[in-house]
Amino acid sequence: MTHLSIRDLQKISSETIGALAGPTAVKSGERTVGLLIPLKAADPERLAAVLARAEALARGRDDAADDAALARFGEVDPVDWSIEAVRALMKKEGG
C-alpha cells in the first residue's frame, strides 16, 4: 500500500495500521497531508544484544577525545547510553 486516503484512515483498525510495512502517506485527493508510521514493539532479546554490543564498543574509548572530536558539530547529546544507565531508566519508568 503506497498511501491511504483520509477516508481510509477513518475506517482502518489499529491492527491494520500495525500491519503496514512501513511509513505510509496519507492523502487528501492528490495532496499528501500526513505520514502514518506504525510503531512496532522492540524484540527484548535483540535490544539486549544491541545494548551489549554498544557497551563492548564503548569500552576503552577516550570520552574526552570523543567529546573534543564531536564539539565541532555543536552541542553533543550528553546521555549515558550504558547498559546500567538504560536499565536504571527502564526501572525508574516501570519497564
Side-chain angles (χ1 to χ4, degrees), residues 25-87:
V26 177
K27 293 190 170 216
S28 177
E30 291 299 313
R31 185 172 150 243
T32 300
V33 295
L35 188 63
L36 181 61
I37 302 172
L39 300 177
K40 310 287 184 186
D43 175 352
E45 290 179 11
R46 187 171 178 203
L47 182 57
V50 168
L51 289 173
R53 182 167 184 245
E55 185 76 12
L57 290 170
R59 280 190 208 107
R61 294 204 51 113
D62 182 348
D63 290 338
D66 289 347
D67 290 345
L70 291 171
R72 67 185 177 131
F73 297 107
E75 187 176 334
V76 177
D77 182 0
V79 176
D80 178 1
W81 293 106
S82 67
I83 290 175
E84 293 81 17
V86 171
R87 284 184 180 144

Side-chain angles (χ1 to χ4, degrees), residues 1-5 8 20-27 32 34-36:
M1 179 176 303
T2 60
H3 72 276
L4 294 168
S5 71
D8 293 334
L20 292 171
T24 303
V26 177
K27 293 190 170 216
T32 300
L35 188 63
L36 181 61

